[in-house]
Amino acid sequence: MGRKINRLLIFVVSCSVVGLAVGATASQAELERCLDSPTPTSHCLTEDPLLKKVEGMGIGLLAGAGAAFGATWQLWQNQK
């Protein structure tokens, strides 16, 4: 593999891992905020916390990878 491709892969993986962490944290905070409200809704009470966290992690993974590809594309365009 070329040097540029290796750097791209490392950048995408690191951004994706950060996205996973941020997505999991955000979904956990949202769930706790919902449960701590004075009148929690039935939707809040019936949601599976694990499923909610996995959804947040998936969205964070996609957002991190997309941001990495977008930033790399922009850098490559500016270097030309």
Side-chain angles (χ1 to χ4, degrees):
M1 278 195 203
R3 188 173 175 188
K4 280 187 174 184
I5 299 298
N6 285 339
R7 285 191 294 181
L8 171 66
L9 289 176
I10 291 170
F11 190 57
V12 169
V13 168
S14 61
C15 286
S16 297
V17 168
V18 170
L20 278 172
V22 170
T25 304
S27 64
Q28 183 67 32
E30 182 182 340
L31 182 64
E32 287 179 12
R33 184 179 56 104
C34 182
L35 292 175
D36 288 343
S37 69
T39 56
T41 63
S42 62
H43 178 69
C44 176
L45 296 173
T46 58
E47 269 188 325
D48 184 17
L50 182 62
L51 180 62
K52 186 72 174 167
K53 188 175 277 191
V54 169
E55 286 176 0
M57 290 171 73
I59 291 171
L61 175 74
L62 291 174
F69 277 117
T72 304
W73 179 264
Q74 185 71 29
L75 284 173
W76 283 352
Q77 292 299 316
N78 288 341
Q79 288 178 355
K80 290 183 178 181

